[in-house]
Amino acid sequence: MQAKRDEETPGEERRLSIPPEAAGKRLDHVLGGLMEGHSRTFLKKLFDRELVRIRGKAAKPSLELKGNEEVAVFIPEPEPLEAQPEDIPLAVMYE
């Protein structure tokens, strides 16, 4: 898995404001609530690739928030699937 973001990586950067009531909570838990439609596994991969940043530095999932932080999350475009059909013999069991 590729680490860090380079300028040529296609994708989208989202800037999120952490609400004050999130103070004392873990960053990964708060992002899970703010980024609906993305699984915790997907968010973990973003953290592992250092694509979640606070003040320009890679953030750890366990970071305890103070509230009112600005978080930049880079979401790379999905990699294209490379599945190819195979010509394999199949026995028809019932018609």
Side-chain angles (χ1 to χ4, degrees):
M1 190 178 289
Q2 164 188 340
K4 299 185 184 175
R5 174 186 176 220
D6 60 30
E7 295 301 318
E8 296 177 9
T9 304
E12 168 191 3
E13 183 171 280
R14 293 187 188 172
R15 296 204 171 263
L16 303 168
S17 296
I18 302 298
E21 55 271 9
K25 295 182 182 174
R26 288 174 49 118
L27 176 58
D28 57 346
H29 292 185
V30 173
L31 280 184
L34 292 176
M35 296 185 66
E36 294 178 10
H38 295 289
S39 68
R40 289 183 357 187
T41 303
F42 177 75
L43 292 175
K44 181 178 179 343
K45 289 178 185 178
L46 295 180
F47 279 107
D48 291 345
R49 293 173 63 182
E50 298 184 1
L51 298 176
V52 179
R53 300 184 161 272
I54 294 181
R55 292 185 290 282
K57 295 183 181 177
K60 296 188 184 229
S62 61
L63 177 71
E64 186 177 315
L65 296 168
K66 296 179 176 107
N68 297 315
E69 289 99 335
E70 286 287 323
V71 179
V73 180
F74 183 77
I75 301 174
E77 287 185 7
E79 295 180 16
L81 298 176
E82 296 182 15
Q84 298 294 322
E86 294 182 41
D87 187 17
I88 57 174
L90 296 175
V92 178
M93 301 301 287
Y94 180 78
E95 273 192 59

